[in-house]
């Protein structure tokens, strides 16, 4: 099922997420729905807060086309080397900014079957993991870039919300 993606300004995106207590059938179905939602919106990653659930869970399909589920992820190591990339987000559609992040990470998490794993990732996969993991702490990529760009983007989305609210009242 394709789920509603929350947009910049929705409070759920700024809340810190809580750990998943158990990998239940409900969590497994949520992962499937998140993959379907992410693919429908041409994304490469989707975190649970983006679909209104403040739990520590995200899904990823990077440039290797492998479906990956990260439950209760912890980034345990990042490279000293950093790189720039124009990031975007399904919660901030059609807005991109160059963000500097470590080029590689090591992450520990549970998979969709509740089994622990450790993954060393670099390139696009490492970037997506960092971006989605930020969502679990209420951090958006615009928080990591130019402060003026962040302010302009937040104001733009605030105006769009106000316009939509006025239209809904009519």
């Amino acid at each position: 099922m394709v789920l509603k993606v929350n947009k910049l300004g929705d409070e759920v995106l700024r809340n810190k997420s809580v750990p998943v207590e158990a990998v239940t059938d409900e969590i497994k179905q949520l992962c499937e729905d998140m993959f379907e939602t992410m693919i429908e919106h041409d994304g490469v990653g989707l975190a649970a807060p983006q679909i209104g659930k403040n739990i520590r869970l995200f899904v990823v399909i990077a440039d290797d086309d492998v479906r990956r589920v990260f439950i209760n992820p912890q980034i345990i190591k990042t490279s000293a080397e950093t790189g720039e990339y124009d990031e975007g987000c399904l919660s901030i559609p059609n807005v991109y900014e160059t963000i500097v992040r470590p080029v590689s990470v090591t992450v520990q998490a549970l998979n969709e079957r509740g089994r622990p794993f450790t993954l060393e990732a670099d390139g696009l996969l490492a970037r997506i993991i960092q971006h989605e993991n930020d969502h679990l702490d209420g951090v958006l990529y615009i928080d990591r870039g130019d402060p003026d760009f962040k302010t302009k983007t937040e104001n733009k989305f605030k105006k769009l919300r106000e316009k939509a609210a006025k239209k809904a009242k009519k």
Side-chain angles (χ1 to χ4, degrees), residues 37-51:
T37 301
M38 180 184 75
I39 292 165
E40 176 71 21
H41 291 283
D42 295 323
V44 293
L46 185 66
Q50 293 179 272
I51 50 96

Side-chain angles (χ1 to χ4, degrees), residues 10-124:
D10 289 333
E11 190 177 319
V12 69
L13 295 174
R14 292 304 193 168
N15 294 334
K16 191 165 174 71
S17 295
V18 299
V20 173
E21 291 184 20
V23 180
T24 61
D25 288 343
E26 183 180 79
I27 292 292
K28 291 175 187 176
Q29 184 60 54
L30 179 63
C31 291
E32 285 304 311
D33 292 344
M34 288 174 65
F35 275 118
E36 192 174 334
T37 301
M38 180 184 75
I39 292 165
E40 176 71 21
H41 291 283
D42 295 323
V44 293
L46 185 66
Q50 293 179 272
I51 50 96
K53 307 268 187 206
N54 274 123
I55 56 174
R56 298 192 73 76
L57 163 66
F58 62 83
V59 299
V60 169
I61 302 177
D63 45 2
D64 60 2
D65 287 331
V66 175
R67 292 166 60 120
R68 292 182 174 93
V69 173
F70 296 81
I71 299 171
N72 298 335
Q74 291 185 311
I75 294 176
I76 58 171
K77 184 178 174 188
T78 59
S79 64
E81 182 186 355
T82 60
E84 294 182 344
Y85 190 84
D86 280 347
E87 287 190 29
C89 182
L90 296 180
S91 292
I92 312 174
N94 306 312
V95 177
Y96 301 90
E97 183 179 16
T98 303
I99 302 297
V100 177
R101 293 190 189 266
V103 296
S104 64
V105 297
T106 303
V107 61
Q108 292 179 333
L110 301 176
N111 67 16
E112 64 277 10
R113 292 184 291 288
R115 295 195 179 116
F117 69 93
T118 301
L119 176 69
E120 293 179 18
D122 59 12
L124 182 60

